[in-house]
Amino acid sequence: MLNFSDRLIESIKKKNSVLIAGIDTSIENIPDYFIKRFYDKEKSEIDNLKTILFEYNRRIIDAVEENVVGVKFQAAFFEQYSYHGFEVLHKLCEYAKNKKLVVIFDGKRNDISSSAKGYSNAYLGETPVFGKKIRFFEFDAITTNPYLGQDGIKPFVEDCERFKKGLFVLVKTSNPSSADFQDLMIEDKYLFELVAEKVYEWGKNCIGKEGYSDVGAVVGATQPEAAKRIREILPNSFFLVPGIGVQGGKVEDLKYFVDNNNMGIIVNSSRDIIYAYKNYVHSDFEKSSYLASKSIKESINAAIS
Ligand SMILES: O=c1ccn([C@@H]2O[C@H](COP(=O)(O)O)[C@@H](O)[C@H]2O)c(=O)[nH]1
């Protein structure tokens, strides 16, 4: 089996797209006409929730499939519905995987090593059950938080090596308060630069045949200056770039995120795609999401070519 970075590159070339559709759907943002179509008064609220959440996101995936290299599932939007949400997440992950999309779990997980191992078993690897190993999810990659240091990251890196999976470590995030900690200076370096140096180290043993590491960085689209610095430290890592559109990140700035081959990034867009019906065709959310994903893909391609 190919390394994660090689599979990603293969898919990017095939799709001519570095766009990732972010599945961040809340039930209250699903259009009324769609809810009415599926809501069954004979069923419980929870059963209706599960059906509608799955059916809406499934159609979004169908609609954008042609324009995206993968999908990123934001854990929070499934966790808010407790284990019912996770049941839907599991089905959607399989659905996207069957369409040969790259599937990312955005859980920003981390903990002490024994707990981190549990997370990694769940999302990248296998969980021991009665002497057997069970694979619960089929994600290709996960996002992690580096705050606990190397021992909290090692279980994920080991599973990346073993199962040819990918990791995106938060290095410089897109949110307004990212500077609170990430921009602290330690001697002559920003904290995010020190984290990037660690990401380089953690990914040294999982380099694919195309020369890219399977351990990448999350770098917010709102942070072009930081992106230039991080690219110097991580010349052969993929950046997962969230924050274009609603958060203010500009597609034109993506030229500061790419590597010397104009590669090395995947760019997430969530709300602009899943709720595109609010800006495009109100009565047809699938068409709207298709049009939005096509337009975002084309503008990204123009900005980085
Ligand atoms: O620095 C970060 C890290 C993760 N995210 C996640 O990406 C999406 C962005 O959603 P949009 O609707 O396209 O703004 C969301 O899931 C965040 O949790 C991020 O935005 N910034």
Side-chain angles (χ1 to χ4, degrees):
M1 192 186 194
L2 289 176
N3 278 50
F4 169 70
S5 55
D6 292 328
R7 296 202 307 277
L8 184 57
I9 291 167
E10 225 177 60
S11 302
I12 289 172
K13 287 184 179 157
K14 204 160 140 199
K15 288 285 181 74
N16 186 30
S17 175
V18 296
L19 179 61
I20 298 281
I23 306 296
D24 295 18
T25 313
S26 280
I27 205 85
E28 69 273 18
N29 279 315
I30 294 180
D32 281 346
Y33 73 83
F34 189 79
I35 300 216
K36 281 189 189 126
R37 193 166 137 205
F38 281 92
Y39 195 92
D40 181 347
K41 286 193 209 110
E42 304 299 314
K43 288 191 179 158
S44 70
E45 293 289 276
I46 295 294
D47 281 343
N48 279 311
L49 163 72
K50 287 195 292 191
T51 304
I52 293 168
L53 198 59
F54 176 74
E55 292 299 335
Y56 185 78
N57 286 318
R58 180 176 78 75
R59 282 166 176 75
I60 296 277
I61 293 170
D62 288 346
V64 304
E65 179 187 358
E66 178 188 319
N67 297 315
V68 303
V69 66
V71 286
K72 175 174 86 58
F73 293 101
Q74 168 54 256
F77 289 95
F78 296 92
E79 275 177 28
Q80 67 179 337
Y81 304 119
S82 183
Y83 64 93
H84 313 291
F86 258 59
E87 205 182 308
V88 176
L89 172 64
H90 191 271
K91 275 172 74 182
L92 287 170
C93 174
E94 274 191 355
Y95 190 77
K97 204 63 195 161
N98 286 336
K99 288 185 168 278
K100 308 258 180 299
L101 291 163
V102 173
V103 184
I104 301 171
F105 178 70
D106 189 1
K108 303 184 180 67
R109 296 299 199 249
N110 203 335
D111 210 312
I112 62 164
S113 65
S114 53
S115 307
K117 180 65 187 144
Y119 283 135
S120 190
N121 287 347
Y123 300 112
L124 296 182
E126 301 166 334
T127 308
V129 180
F130 306 133
K132 294 187 181 136
K133 300 274 177 80
I134 301 188
R135 180 174 292 270
F136 285 104
F137 279 106
E138 289 292 346
F139 290 108
D140 292 297
I142 187 173
T143 58
T144 57
N145 184 328
Y147 198 68
L148 278 88
Q150 160 134 356
D151 59 355
I153 291 286
K154 212 169 148 210
F156 295 102
V157 174
E158 283 169 356
D159 281 344
C160 282
E161 289 173 22
R162 190 148 162 242
F163 299 107
K164 309 288 182 200
K165 301 283 180 151
L167 197 62
F168 292 97
V169 181
L170 296 180
V171 173
K172 180 69 178 146
T173 57
S174 62
N175 54 313
S177 315
S178 77
D180 287 357
F181 300 127
Q182 296 160 25
D183 287 4
L184 291 178
M185 290 295 279
I186 297 166
E187 295 179 357
D188 57 343
K189 288 181 186 170
Y190 288 113
L191 179 57
F192 73 77
E193 292 180 286
L194 297 174
V195 174
E197 286 172 9
K198 286 287 179 197
V199 170
Y200 182 79
E201 249 179 63
W202 294 333
K204 269 199 314 215
N205 294 328
C206 27
I207 308 282
K209 67 177 173 48
E210 298 279 353
Y212 287 83
S213 171
D214 295 329
V215 180
V218 175
V219 185
T222 50
Q223 313 289 349
E225 287 307 317
K228 288 182 208 166
R229 288 170 171 271
I230 299 166
R231 187 46 89 190
E232 302 253 301
I233 302 165
L234 295 172
N236 63 339
S237 290
F238 265 91
F239 292 180
L240 168 61
V241 186
I244 56 163
V246 182
Q247 294 185 54
K250 294 187 179 59
V251 164
E252 306 84 73
D253 284 342
L254 291 172
K255 57 178 177 288
Y256 303 120
F257 292 69
V258 290
D259 60 22
N260 288 337
N261 308 314
N262 280 352
M263 293 253 304
I265 60 169
I266 47 175
V267 181
N268 179 82
S269 173
S270 304
R271 286 165 288 181
D272 281 342
I273 290 181
I274 56 176
Y275 305 140
Y277 73 90
K278 295 182 182 182
N279 304 323
Y280 284 81
V281 192
H282 288 257
S283 57
D284 188 342
F285 76 90
E286 287 145 298
K287 187 169 183 194
S288 301
S289 294
Y290 169 78
L291 291 173
S293 61
K294 185 169 187 293
S295 148
I296 299 169
K297 172 189 94 169
E298 286 169 355
S299 61
I300 294 172
N301 285 352
I304 64 176
S305 63

